[in-house]
Amino acid sequence: MSEKNKADEIRYVGVKENLAYGFANAGQVFGYNLFAGSYLSMFFVKVFGIPSQAVATMILVLGIWDTINDPIMGSIIDKTRTRYGKLRPYLILVPLPLSIITVVFWSGPLLMQNVADVTLKTIFMYISYFVWEFFYTIGDVPFWGMSTAISPSPSDRTRAISSARFISGLIGGLSGTILPVLIDLSQNNVIGWNLKQVFAFMGLLAGIFVIGLFSLAGIFTRERVVQSVQENSIFDGFKYLFKNKPLMMIVLSNVLGTLSSVAGVFGNYYYNEVLNMMSLSLVVGLFGTLSGYAAYAFLPKIKKKLDNRQIIFMISIIRAVVGTLTFLAGYKYYDVWYVAIPILAIQNIFFGFFGTVNMIVPTEMIGDTVDYMEWKTGVRNEGISFSVLTFVGKLTSSVSTSVATALLPLIGYSVVNNTLADGTVETIATCTSAGGHPTQFWLWTFFTVVPNVLGLISLLPFFFYDLRGEKLKKIRSDMKVRRAELSKQVSGGESVEE
């Protein structure tokens, strides 16, 4: 075997560190899944009793703020130089305050259960959500930056990302399992909790997961890619960002695909208001979960046949076709659970499998753009580059949640706040009709066909994405030589390999 191939097989990251990185993501995702649009709209509108228009505006405004906030945080990270690295200090500091604000946020309706003034509720909503977003950004940007800095080896990075996605799917995804069950138990008077208490309990659990697991990233992971001694200004960080054409194509694709994410929001309303049982989403989700785990075994084979850009095209086209077929199959039976559930389960087999692939591939692509800019400019920018991954994710979630929430009154969904004799405020939701169809039909439509067909628009920028094939191979080969030279400079003349 040649020396080059031997070098390619060097493994820098051990099992223990990969597991720590994976469990850390699980702790983060457990809480984030509650905020990621699908439950957030229901929480504010149905549980907190805030008008849907006010909720839609708030989510949109803070989503736009994130488009600025995340890159600023990324630039600050790229300026950071400590003996722990430029990413780890933030991962060490952020879990505690993030845990506290998570608990406070989801306890809002319980803390203000005797408050009928919508203005006060809206103020609480804005402040608590803003503070949560602030601390989440401080932790999320360096966490995903670590997926590239953890090793110079592409295979190490794939393993780290796969570990993060796989373990977060197992453990972080539990919030999406527990909450629907508790909602059904509450609404059917099986347990003595109302929805306000249910969401407060979930907030407490999320806070425990954040402080208990997310902190592992700062304690056990290491940065191995040698950084340049030069510190860039925040302005330089933005300048490099806009010079990074492949990264800009990824950003534009995600922005164009924003409306495809409304499916998650309408899905929760569909299960709760049409089928009257949130727990049925778990039955459907089980099929997606199983096929999603299978995807980890098939991903290496897929990557041997297709490059990352081709994989993105394949996923979007399959989602559009399957979503359309799902809509047509349930067109007349969307409110009959024993017909709709098998149809959705079949859909989720495809969505779960390709959804897993879609969680790994774009993260790898952003890592490639970091290497590309280092190859082009001599400077690494994990912070500013991976801030794009985080802010695009939050922007997509915010805009899609805002749009979906704003559409609720237009399809005949509304809520009314009633003050009871004991002074507590009760929120009652009603479904009527719009455009000649009942609200339930529109919930089915926006849950299945509309978002997945609109998702095809996101493919347009990838026609101009050229970080692949021989060009990508050359970049990786050149950077291996350059990093060895930089390592000698930093270590005083000897090449450093760990």
Side-chain angles (χ1 to χ4, degrees):
M1 182 180 292
S2 69
E3 291 302 315
K4 179 182 183 300
N5 289 335
K6 288 180 181 179
D8 286 342
E9 293 182 358
I10 293 175
R11 183 169 181 172
Y12 299 88
V13 185
V15 173
K16 178 181 177 181
E17 190 171 353
N18 269 325
L19 288 175
Y21 192 67
F23 277 102
N25 193 42
Q28 181 192 39
V29 167
F30 187 97
Y32 180 73
N33 280 347
L34 299 176
F35 286 89
S38 57
Y39 294 110
L40 193 63
S41 174
M42 181 180 292
F43 171 72
F44 281 137
V45 176
K46 187 180 177 77
V47 181
F48 216 159
I50 300 174
S52 58
Q53 295 88 342
V55 174
T57 301
M58 185 275 295
I59 293 174
L60 180 61
V61 168
L62 292 185
I64 293 173
W65 158 242
D66 266 338
T67 64
I68 304 171
N69 179 33
D70 282 47
I72 290 175
M73 184 62 204
S75 294
I76 292 173
I77 289 172
D78 285 329
K79 280 178 58 63
T80 302
R81 295 291 186 274
T82 75
R83 65 189 182 93
Y84 297 105
K86 70 179 186 181
L87 304 167
R88 285 186 67 204
Y90 301 98
L91 296 176
I92 292 171
L93 294 174
V94 80
L96 180 58
L98 180 61
S99 174
I100 293 172
I101 187 56
T102 299
V103 174
V104 172
F105 178 93
W106 293 106
S107 299
L110 196 61
L111 296 172
M112 304 183 71
Q113 63 180 337
N114 294 321
V115 176
D117 190 334
V118 174
T119 301
L120 290 178
K121 291 182 178 182
T122 303
I123 292 173
F124 179 93
M125 174 182 71
Y126 267 91
I127 294 175
S128 60
Y129 191 52
F130 176 85
V131 174
W132 178 84
E133 283 278 10
F134 174 77
F135 284 109
Y136 184 83
T137 296
I138 295 175
D140 196 41
V141 174
F143 178 83
W144 288 111
M146 184 66 79
S147 70
T148 295
I150 201 169
S151 173
S153 167
S155 58
D156 268 344
R157 295 175 185 179
T158 298
R159 280 189 287 267
I161 296 168
S162 296
S163 175
R165 298 301 191 184
F166 181 81
I167 297 177
S168 68
L170 283 174
I171 299 176
L174 287 176
S175 57
T177 301
I178 298 171
L179 182 55
V181 173
L182 291 179
I183 289 175
D184 283 346
L185 293 176
S186 172
Q187 294 185 147
N188 289 284
N189 299 316
V190 177
I191 58 176
W193 291 355
N194 58 33
L195 289 182
K196 297 173 183 177
Q197 293 168 317
V198 165
F199 276 91
F201 172 75
M202 290 303 300
L204 178 61
L205 270 186
I208 293 172
F209 269 73
V210 166
I211 195 67
L213 293 181
F214 188 45
S215 57
L216 296 177
I219 297 172
F220 292 107
T221 60
R222 298 181 61 190
E223 299 173 41
R224 291 178 176 81
V225 175
V226 180
Q227 302 289 339
S228 62
V229 177
Q230 173 188 352
E231 294 183 21
N232 294 318
S233 67
I234 292 179
F235 175 78
D236 284 336
F238 279 93
K239 181 176 66 176
Y240 285 123
L241 175 63
F242 288 107
K243 283 185 176 181
N244 194 334
K245 178 185 172 182
L247 183 59
M248 288 296 97
M249 293 303 99
I250 296 173
V251 172
L252 183 56
S253 173
N254 279 272
V255 171
L256 291 176
T258 295
L259 293 182
S260 65
S261 300
V262 301
V265 181
F266 282 105
N268 278 339
Y269 283 103
Y270 170 77
Y271 286 114
N272 195 57
E273 306 297 341
V274 180
L275 301 184
N276 300 311
M277 190 174 293
M278 287 287 293
S279 300
L280 288 175
S281 65
L282 303 180
V283 178
V284 172
L286 177 62
F287 290 86
T289 299
L290 294 176
S291 65
Y293 293 147
Y296 288 100
F298 284 95
L299 181 58
K301 297 179 181 179
I302 295 174
K303 289 178 71 66
K304 286 182 180 179
K305 300 289 185 180
L306 304 171
D307 64 34
N308 284 338
R309 190 185 76 160
Q310 291 170 328
I311 292 173
I312 295 295
F313 271 84
M314 176 185 68
I315 291 172
S316 296
I317 293 170
I318 290 176
R319 287 188 65 92
V321 172
V322 173
T324 301
L325 293 175
T326 300
F327 169 76
L328 295 174
Y331 182 79
K332 294 183 178 180
Y333 307 100
Y334 57 82
D335 56 348
V336 182
W337 72 267
Y338 54 83
V339 176
I341 293 303
I343 294 173
L344 291 170
I346 294 172
Q347 172 187 262
N348 257 31
I349 292 175
F350 291 93
F351 284 8
F353 184 92
F354 291 106
T356 293
V357 176
N358 202 38
M359 287 192 299
I360 296 172
V361 169
T363 309
E364 287 185 359
M365 294 172 77
I366 292 178
D368 289 338
T369 70
V370 174
D371 289 343
Y372 165 73
M373 285 304 289
E374 183 182 11
W375 175 73
K376 186 177 179 180
T377 67
V379 178
R380 288 187 65 80
N381 295 92
E382 289 99 340
I384 192 70
S385 296
F386 276 91
S387 72
V388 169
L389 176 68
T390 59
F391 98 68
V392 165
K394 288 189 284 184
L395 177 64
T396 297
S397 174
S398 298
V399 173
S400 61
T401 303
S402 176
V403 170
T405 305
L407 285 173
L408 290 175
L410 300 181
I411 64 173
Y413 184 89
S414 60
V415 295
V416 176
N417 290 317
N418 290 329
T419 302
L420 304 179
D422 62 359
T424 60
V425 179
E426 179 185 42
T427 303
I428 301 174
T430 60
C431 293
T432 54
S433 63
H437 292 284
T439 300
Q440 290 84 345
F441 169 81
W442 292 115
L443 291 175
W444 171 257
T445 302
F446 284 102
F447 178 31
T448 56
V449 64
V450 172
N452 292 302
V453 171
L454 288 176
L456 292 173
I457 301 173
S458 67
L459 295 178
L460 294 176
F462 282 111
F463 285 101
F464 306 96
Y465 181 89
D466 64 350
L467 201 55
R468 51 201 290 261
E470 292 301 319
K471 180 176 181 177
L472 187 57
K473 288 180 181 178
K474 176 173 172 53
I475 291 172
R476 288 173 175 171
S477 176
D478 290 351
M479 287 313 304
K480 184 176 297 182
V481 174
R482 193 182 299 179
R483 284 174 187 143
E485 294 174 352
L486 180 59
S487 178
K488 289 180 181 179
Q489 294 174 21
V490 174
S491 61
E494 296 184 3
S495 179
V496 178
E497 291 283 349
E498 294 191 61

